[in-house]
Amino acid sequence: LARLVSAAHERGLAVVLDVVYNHLGPEGNYLREFGPYFTHKYETPWGDALNFDDEGSAQVRAYFRDNAIQWIRDCGVDALRLDAVQMIHDASPRHVVAEIAEAVQAHGGFVIAESDMNDPVTVRPRSEHGWGADAQWSDDLHHSLHDLLTGERTGYYADYGEASDLATALCRGFVYDGTRLSKFRGKRYGRSTEGIACERHVVCLQNHDQVGNRARGERIASLAGVQASKVGAAAVLLAPAIPLLFMGEEYAAPQPFPFFTSHGDPDLARAVTEGRRSEFAAFSWAGEVPDPQDEATFASAVLRLRDRREPPHDGVLAWHRALLELRHLHPALGGKDRRERMIVRAYDEDRVVTMERWSEDGRSRLLAILAFAKERRTPRLEVAPGAWRLRLDSADPRFRGEGAAAPPELQVGESGVIETPLPPLSAWIYEREDRG
């Protein structure tokens, strides 16, 4: 692993390791024989919780803290992503995640907390009684995008579906911040992100959980189409948060990513297979769930990199490269206080979201018009007055679109309102420069 990390560093790549400190695997797990590593006080979906606040917990905390340090100090890993921290139960005055984060940061590493709590305690400074992680997984943007693009309304997707949900996620990070009732959870949950910088949120259109936890591991391009995947990519890569791309997403890889295992215990293997099939009842997904133990399930997920050179995948790759170059170089997309330098508007009836961002000196502006409807719409959009020049159009043939449809220029008068026909599932990106 250390050699792999070193090779990545030589190529200018940082390495983030996904670590699981909320449970241990069901096979090859012998820690229980050596000490009080588990507790009956709490339960997780995977069995007894790890003991972070009961008798003997000091040594357990030290074990996991030192493990985190080992990855940074001995292997050169740059950051750790802590899996499902909401399942790390700890009633101690100082949460073990805060202890791990401090230890990792003392050795030059970063910590990203995965959590579905929508609670900024994960990233608030430890001096303010937070856990002090550098960033946290924020699923609301994914859920909002997925629902807009696929129309799925089962499971937790029942809580989303409007363009305004995506706009809220882009602006605040969380849609559910304690003020809204969740149909799926049957309660209000979450807390306000007031005072939390946008770059503390990690957002995505796809990740290993959201794809792999589907019954058959379908990717967004398979579910909603290649054009839809490009609109989703624009929302993620132009967002002020930290964007994450899932392997193969950058060229709309056609392979699924189903859940697969290689357990040696036949009883365990059978239980996992049966569990997967029952797990999806809430989502009402029809059809056969691939057997995780079948080697063919694994083989179906292996990427073919040659696909990147074939249409439409080459066009999707070009689109991602153009968006990443824009994110890297455009003054409107960098700097600090990003939340204060953006306006996001939603048009629920037309299924359109617009996002304006501007540079710290206010001279450079970027406008993204994201259309999620599956038919042509002509909404009345509010846009800052001025002459806007087209930068990118997802329908451009070089991106394997059906032909550029965006006007080369948008002349917005003092009223700040424009009406222009928007093709279905399209993303237009404009820029404006103020020389004065």
Side-chain angles (χ1 to χ4, degrees), residues 374-413:
K374 295 182 179 180
E375 62 282 327
R376 183 176 294 269
R377 300 285 181 89
T378 307
R380 288 173 54 85
L381 304 178
E382 294 182 55
V383 178
W388 294 86
R389 180 175 63 88
L390 181 66
R391 181 68 181 260
L392 295 173
D393 178 357
S394 63
D396 193 305
R398 65 185 169 126
F399 305 130
R400 296 296 179 184
E402 297 179 355
E409 291 188 353
L410 290 179
Q411 296 291 338
V412 184

Side-chain angles (χ1 to χ4, degrees), residues 341-376:
R341 294 186 288 107
M342 65 181 294
I343 295 176
V344 184
R345 296 183 174 95
Y347 305 85
D348 284 333
E349 185 175 345
D350 293 299
R351 299 177 70 78
V352 173
V353 171
T354 65
M355 176 168 51
E356 287 184 47
R357 298 182 60 185
W358 53 90
S359 59
E360 291 179 297
D361 62 10
R363 294 184 177 181
S364 295
R365 299 183 78 97
L366 205 68
L367 167 67
I369 303 175
L370 308 176
F372 294 92
K374 295 182 179 180
E375 62 282 327
R376 183 176 294 269

Side-chain angles (χ1 to χ4, degrees), residues 51-90:
N51 173 25
F52 290 121
D53 65 2
D54 209 346
E55 184 177 355
S57 63
Q59 289 80 7
V60 178
R61 295 167 75 96
Y63 177 88
F64 285 94
R65 182 191 64 236
D66 292 348
N67 177 261
I69 292 173
Q70 176 189 11
W71 300 124
I72 306 299
R73 182 192 61 204
D74 300 343
C75 295
V77 168
D78 300 281
L80 300 181
R81 182 258 198 190
L82 307 188
D83 179 77
V85 297
Q86 74 273 8
M87 291 299 173
I88 300 179
H89 300 287
D90 182 11

Side-chain angles (χ1 to χ4, degrees), residues 199-216:
E199 53 269 32
R200 298 289 187 183
H201 297 273
V202 176
V203 298
C204 70
L205 173 60
Q206 301 176 90
N207 64 35
H208 73 285
D209 281 326
Q210 301 299 339
V211 180
N213 285 343
R214 295 182 64 83
R216 286 172 293 283

Side-chain angles (χ1 to χ4, degrees), residues 61 82 85 88 90 95-102 111 113 122 131 133:
R61 295 167 75 96
L82 307 188
V85 297
I88 300 179
D90 182 11
H95 199 281
V96 68
V97 169
E99 190 173 324
I100 290 172
E102 183 175 40
V111 172
T122 54
W131 297 352

